[in-house]
Amino acid sequence: VDKENSNTAEDVDKWFPDLNIKIVKEIISSGGAFGNISTQNTSVGYLTPREWHKEIKSLMNKKNRVIGSGVKGIESKEEDEETILIDVRNHKECQIGSFAPGISIDPQTKTFAQFPKWVKENSTESGIAPSRESTSNAPSSSLLNNKRILMYCTGGIRCEKASAYIRQMVPENKGIFHLKGGIHKYLEEFGQDALNRNGNDADGGKEGDDVDECL
């Protein structure tokens, strides 16, 4: 932009004829449920793509150890203080692919505005038993209580709000963390070495297969 020769409002209109600036309460609508969450609280619990990679590997290794034992329901003290993995994206997005299928929880929401309801149904604070449609992995009213929680979404924006909301609703937790920059940032760093899984590949498959299609 040549500031010396173009300083009038008319010139600005010529530069950006389709520019439309609006002030909105939320980038992605939650129906107002996250309206009281400050930006200071949304930056808590970040995991870098490299840190996230290690966490997912650890979860997958735990699952493989249980499967490899050949004993159904075998658990160690480490698994009792379990870490749960939540996909904050909508159900259609989750079906395309996810991290660690069989571990990753799909809240089966159609819109982000439905996520707060899912949190209430799956926290002991509400006292409400979730419906069968609430989650395909662990339909329990205490699903979130006293757990270490990992969360991810496409670009990280939904997780910033969602993680802060869970922190409010579930004060009895063992830490709530989310992937900084979301799946996009993770794929930028790991590319074909990403720990992605096809939505139908619940038993593992090969690391890095169809990375663009899966996530």
Side-chain angles (χ1 to χ4, degrees):
V1 176
D2 187 350
K3 293 183 179 180
E4 292 183 3
N5 299 318
S6 303
N7 288 319
T8 66
E10 291 181 3
D11 288 328
V12 172
D13 290 339
K14 293 176 183 177
W15 298 334
F16 308 107
D18 298 321
L19 180 64
N20 187 6
I21 300 174
K22 292 182 179 180
I23 298 175
V24 296
K25 291 183 178 180
E26 297 179 295
I27 296 175
I28 301 176
S29 176
S30 66
F34 302 150
N36 64 340
I37 295 175
S38 68
T39 53
Q40 186 178 358
N41 292 329
T42 60
S43 59
V44 178
Y46 279 139
L47 289 177
T48 66
R50 199 154 292 279
E51 291 169 333
W52 181 264
H53 191 80
K54 290 180 180 178
E55 290 282 355
I56 298 301
K57 265 193 166 182
S58 177
L59 282 176
M60 293 169 66
N61 288 337
K62 284 180 185 178
K63 178 188 175 185
N64 291 337
R65 283 201 301 270
V66 172
I67 294 173
S69 70
V71 180
K72 215 171 185 179
I74 187 170
E75 291 181 352
S76 68
K77 191 172 181 181
E78 188 180 19
E79 271 79 37
D80 289 339
E81 298 178 358
E82 91 184 284
T83 296
I84 61 173
L85 178 64
I86 302 174
D87 191 337
V88 182
R89 298 173 300 165
N90 301 336
H91 178 56
K92 284 185 177 180
E93 296 172 283
C94 295
Q95 286 184 309
I96 296 172
S98 64
F99 289 102
I103 300 174
S104 183
I105 296 170
D106 171 12
Q108 298 192 359
T109 57
K110 290 183 179 179
T111 67
F112 187 46
Q114 293 176 347
F115 189 80
K117 180 184 177 184
W118 180 85
V119 172
K120 289 179 181 178
E121 290 177 344
N122 289 278
S123 62
T124 55
E125 183 177 314
S126 67
I128 303 172
S131 63
R132 290 182 182 179
E133 290 77 21
S134 294
T135 174
S136 58
N137 290 40
S140 167
S141 59
S142 61
L143 173 65
L144 302 175
N145 201 48
N146 289 315
K147 298 296 192 304
R148 184 170 180 271
I149 300 170
L150 303 178
M151 308 170 69
Y152 67 97
C153 60
T154 305
I157 296 174
R158 282 175 282 188
C159 280
E160 289 182 341
K161 290 283 189 178
S163 61
Y165 182 75
I166 292 179
R167 213 171 276 112
Q168 285 184 353
M169 295 298 296
V170 189
E172 295 182 12
N173 63 75
K174 298 183 184 297
I176 299 171
F177 307 92
H178 52 109
L179 175 58
K180 187 174 184 180
I183 295 168
H184 284 167
K185 202 69 179 175
Y186 175 80
L187 292 182
E188 280 180 15
E189 181 154 346
F190 283 94
Q192 293 302 315
D193 293 324
L195 295 172
N196 68 93
R197 291 292 182 273
N198 182 287
N200 297 319
D201 188 9
D203 62 348
K206 295 180 180 179
E207 293 181 11
D209 281 355
D210 301 319
V211 65
D212 294 327
E213 179 183 347
C214 293
L215 297 172

